[in-house]
Each structure stands twice: as C-alpha cells, then as structure tokens.
C-alpha cells in the first residue's frame, strides 16, 4: 500500500486532463503552522462551488465525495490507488464516482462506465478497463469497443450486450446528470473531487512532500465542515 501511495504522490505532480487541453498544474504546498494546532488544515486547499450539489440528487446520506474522472485520463489512473486507499480507510465518507462527459469523446467512456454499472460488473471490471486504456496510451490510441467488450467475456457479456446498455435510456439519463453537474461545478477537466457538494479540492495546494497524508486529512476535514 505504501508503494501505491508513493506512486500516486509522484503522479499527481503532473498535469490533469482537460476536455480540450491539460489543466491544473502543481504548485507550492500549503503549510500548517505547528505553533497553531487548531488551525484549519483545509485553508487554501479548496474552492467553493457557486451552486452546490444537492445531496439527495446523488443519494448521499452522509459526508460524501464526488469524483469526476475519465478512463482516458492518465492522471485519473495515477490517482486511483490513492482513491482506493482513502475509500478503504474512511468508510464513514461516501465516495461517489461520476464519469465526466463534457464532449463526444469522453461520453463514450462515460457510457461504458454506466453500462458496466447496469450490467453489474462495475466493481469487478473497473480496474481492467482503466488498465486497458493505460496500455493503449503506449500505442497512442483508444481501445476499440471490441477490445473493451473482450474484457467482459468472462462475465458472459458480449459486445451487443454492452452496446445495448450504453445506448439505453437509463444510461442516457445518467449521462445528462453527469454533464449538468460537471457544468454546474464549472469544471474544465479531471480528476476533480467535490466534497459535500460544495468544496472542490485544489490538488495544487496540497503538500507535495506528504501528499497522501495531506490528501486524506484534507478530505476528511472538509467532509466534517
């Protein structure tokens, strides 16, 4: 686990994925004064959404985090081990994953994600799909739908099954919600984390030397705000 956290810490110093170009760059870490133990460790590490999310729309029943991601984003892929570690360490905080779909390219992957949910293979095959996209980056291309569907053959799911769910009314409704919330948060790229529907984590302001620890502590503190 420590190895994974180190990898994630290094990876997050890279740029994020923008729907048109690369975004958030790493910046100086925010330091908490040792002489003031009661200081707010979240200070300077988030921005407020102008229009907060409604918790009931996301079925959030406790402090929660919304993660916007894209399967084709290498920075989302690098963040995943840290996200997993957080989810395992803090079950008291609900983690909600939303695939960003601000353009036609990203919508393909968003539909794949929601189809996986509908087919009941989201948890079992999520990492495989992420890994496939990472592998295809070495070939400078996106996976074909045949290649993605091939990952699901062990679950008895065909390409036709996948396409049917991708084009279903249920998935289209999820896509529209994802687009609306992405726009509501005024996001331009991923990964993006929104805590309790109103605090957007600023990765660039986290302590680069202790990123994993600062990441977890800041999210927990924002969840308790």
């Amino acid at each position: 686990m420590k190895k994974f956290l180190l990898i994630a810490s290094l990876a997050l110093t890279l740029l994020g994925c923008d729907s048109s170009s690369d975004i958030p760059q790493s910046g100086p870490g925010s330091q908490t004064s040792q002489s003031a133990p009661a200081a707010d460790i979240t200070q300077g590490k988030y921005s407020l959404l102008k229009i907060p999310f409604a918790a009931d729309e996301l079925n959030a029943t406790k402090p929660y985090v919304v993660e916007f991601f894209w399967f084709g984003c290498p920075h989302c892929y690098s963040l995943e081990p840290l996200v997993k570690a957080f989810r395992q360490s803090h079950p008291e905080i609900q983690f909600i994953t939303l695939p960003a779909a601000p353009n036609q390219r990203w919508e393909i992957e968003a539909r794949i994600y929601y189809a996986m949910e509908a087919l009941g293979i989201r948890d079992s095959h999520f990492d495989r799909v992420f890994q496939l996209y990472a592998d295809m980056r070495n070939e400078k291309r996106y996976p074909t739908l045949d290649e993605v569907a091939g990952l699901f053959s062990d679950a008895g799911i065909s390409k036709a099954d996948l396409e049917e769910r991708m084009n279903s009314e249920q998935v289209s409704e999820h896509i529209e919600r994802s687009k609306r919330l992405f726009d509501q948060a005024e996001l331009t790229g991923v990964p993006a984390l929104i805590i309790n529907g109103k605090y957007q984590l600023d990765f660039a302001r986290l302590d680069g030397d202790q990123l994993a620890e600062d990441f977890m502590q800041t999210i927990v503190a924002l969840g308790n705000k």
Side-chain angles (χ1 to χ4, degrees), residues 24-209:
Q25 299 189 24
S26 59
S30 179
Q31 300 294 328
T32 302
S33 172
Q34 295 183 357
S35 60
D40 182 359
I41 66 168
T42 70
Q43 187 172 5
K45 300 175 186 175
Y46 68 89
S47 58
L48 281 171
L49 267 60
K50 293 179 182 178
I51 305 176
F53 295 162
D56 57 353
E57 181 179 16
L58 293 161
N59 297 318
T61 58
K62 55 185 177 181
Y64 68 99
V65 179
V66 174
E67 177 195 21
F68 286 93
F69 86 106
W70 173 45
F71 275 129
C73 173
H75 315 293
C76 298
Y77 176 77
S78 296
L79 178 64
E80 185 61 18
L82 191 51
V83 167
K84 284 184 177 180
F86 179 87
R87 296 176 74 160
Q88 292 171 1
S89 301
H90 297 283
E92 77 280 7
I93 295 181
Q94 186 175 348
F95 215 95
I96 301 166
T97 304
L98 292 182
N103 56 52
Q104 291 183 340
R105 174 65 253 181
W106 290 22
E107 185 174 328
I108 295 173
E109 283 71 45
R111 286 185 176 276
I112 290 172
Y113 175 86
Y114 283 128
M116 291 167 62
E117 277 196 339
L119 291 164
I121 58 170
R122 186 273 181 202
D123 292 340
S124 60
H125 290 71
F126 182 83
D127 288 347
R128 299 188 200 181
V129 176
F130 235 152
Q131 187 61 55
L132 176 63
Y133 274 79
D135 293 342
M136 291 302 99
R137 276 194 293 275
N138 295 327
E139 299 181 18
K140 298 183 179 180
R141 67 178 180 88
Y142 296 116
T144 66
L145 199 57
D146 284 306
E147 289 171 326
V148 174
L151 298 176
F152 308 150
S153 60
D154 63 335
I157 295 170
S158 66
K159 179 184 177 183
D161 296 328
L162 177 61
E163 288 183 308
E164 180 181 359
R165 291 305 179 102
M166 286 176 66
N167 296 317
S168 69
E169 182 178 351
Q170 179 188 33
V171 166
S172 293
E173 290 175 354
H174 286 318
I175 292 293
E176 289 308 308
R177 182 188 65 167
S178 178
K179 289 180 177 179
R180 177 167 46 78
L181 292 176
F182 189 89
D183 290 341
Q184 182 175 327
E186 299 183 334
L187 300 177
T188 57
V190 292
L193 299 185
I194 311 294
I195 298 91
N196 281 350
K198 56 185 175 180
Y199 306 112
Q200 182 183 351
L201 183 67
D202 186 347
F203 291 105
R205 300 300 299 177
L206 297 177
D207 186 340
D209 294 328

